[in-house]
Amino acid sequence: KQEVTQIPAALSVPEGENLVLNCSFTDSAIYNLQWFRQDPGKGLTSLLLIQSSQREQTSGRLNASLDKSSGRSTLYIAASQPGDSATYLCAVGAGNNRKLIWGLGTSLAVNP
Amino acid sequence: KAGVTQTPRYLIKTRGQQVTLSCSPISGHRSVSWYQQTPGQGLQFLFEYFSETQRNKGNFPGRFSGRQFSNSRSEMNVSTLELGDSALYLCASSWPRTGDYNTEAFFGQGTRLTVV
């Protein structure tokens, strides 16, 4: 059974720091992995999608990597800003159905 | 291009009642999935509809049901509401070409259901 774990559960950093969020999964048979952002009480905003054949994806200050063999993905945020404060969720697409399996998220606070 | 629209945004219902939530996917997207999000359990898959057919179902009781219309809009129904059904219900829209699992999911803002 696929399980997704995100570490740390919460993170507080000063503005300007570069930071790394971690996501691990137990079964390497995935077809993609997505990183999402969720603001309090709001829906999910897709940040990056990495296909199973890819190693990384970049969008602006965000870079996500995928290592299927070790069951890990990292989300790198460069030069963090207060507006980056949110919960970051990773989800893996696995199995022959279409459901996403989710971690519990990392709650990020960037302090001015 | 309009995003995924969920209505209503907020609902308060009494135990034992039933509720219907609506999701309009991104134009051209044919797949709609529903998820329940609670603080303790995180996001859990409810079901997925594609071309008006339920293709996949999560581990939820039969009180949770859904359907999809010919225009891809989807509704989710919960009957005999329980306090534990209080959650944020999110719908995701995607366009899975046949045999292609590598499509991005786009989410709506969710419907916050409170059962009292």
Side-chain angles (χ1 to χ4, degrees):
Chain A
K1 178 187 170 187
Q2 178 75 265
E3 293 182 358
V4 180
T5 304
Q6 290 188 248
I7 294 173
L11 185 62
S12 181
V13 301
E15 181 177 5
E17 273 204 8
N18 302 323
L19 53 99
V20 175
L21 308 182
N22 297 293
C23 172
S24 62
F25 46 95
T26 55
D27 187 343
S28 63
I30 67 171
Y31 53 84
N32 63 25
L33 183 146
Q34 275 188 257
W35 282 94
F36 293 88
R37 167 187 172 139
Q38 186 173 34
D39 292 283
K42 301 290 183 63
L44 302 173
T45 300
S46 178
L47 298 174
L48 290 164
L49 167 69
I50 310 177
Q51 313 286 11
S52 61
S53 58
Q54 297 174 324
R55 297 282 294 183
E56 66 177 341
Q57 282 287 336
T58 298
S59 176
R61 294 182 294 109
L62 305 179
N63 175 277
S65 67
L66 174 63
D67 183 344
K68 277 180 35 177
S69 62
S70 66
R72 293 180 61 185
S73 176
T74 59
L75 178 67
Y76 175 82
I77 303 177
S80 58
Q81 303 170 357
D84 295 331
S85 298
T87 296
Y88 290 80
L89 293 148
C90 83
V92 300
N96 59 4
N97 58 27
R98 299 205 58 74
K99 71 177 183 181
L100 294 173
I101 302 163
W102 299 81
L104 291 179
T106 294
S107 177
L108 172 65
V110 181
N111 306 305
Chain B
K1 181 187 263 190
V4 180
T5 303
Q6 290 189 246
T7 57
R9 291 292 310 279
Y10 303 93
L11 269 176
I12 299 176
K13 290 288 189 179
T14 304
R15 271 184 305 174
Q17 286 187 314
Q18 75 165 19
V19 66
T20 299
L21 312 182
S22 179
C23 172
S24 293
I26 292 171
S27 178
H29 284 196
R30 293 184 292 169
S31 171
V32 174
S33 298
W34 289 88
Y35 293 83
Q36 181 195 65
Q37 186 179 32
T38 57
Q41 298 292 321
L43 276 138
Q44 297 197 323
F45 174 76
L46 281 155
F47 28 64
E48 185 234 356
Y49 286 87
F50 179 81
S51 294
E52 302 179 64
T53 300
Q54 185 183 89
R55 290 203 303 187
N56 299 293
K57 192 175 189 302
N59 297 321
F60 279 81
R63 300 185 297 107
F64 292 81
S65 63
R67 59 178 175 169
Q68 186 181 34
F69 301 96
S70 58
N71 62 358
S72 292
R73 189 178 70 87
S74 177
E75 288 182 347
M76 189 190 95
N77 184 274
V78 188
S79 62
T80 320
L81 284 166
E82 300 176 359
L83 294 179
D85 297 333
S86 295
L88 180 66
Y89 290 88
L90 292 158
C91 115
S93 160
S94 63
W95 180 47
R97 293 179 293 275
T98 301
D100 180 357
Y101 295 111
N102 293 327
T103 57
E104 190 171 2
F106 296 90
F107 282 78
Q109 292 294 299
T111 293
R112 172 73 63 184
L113 172 64
T114 302
V115 182
V116 297

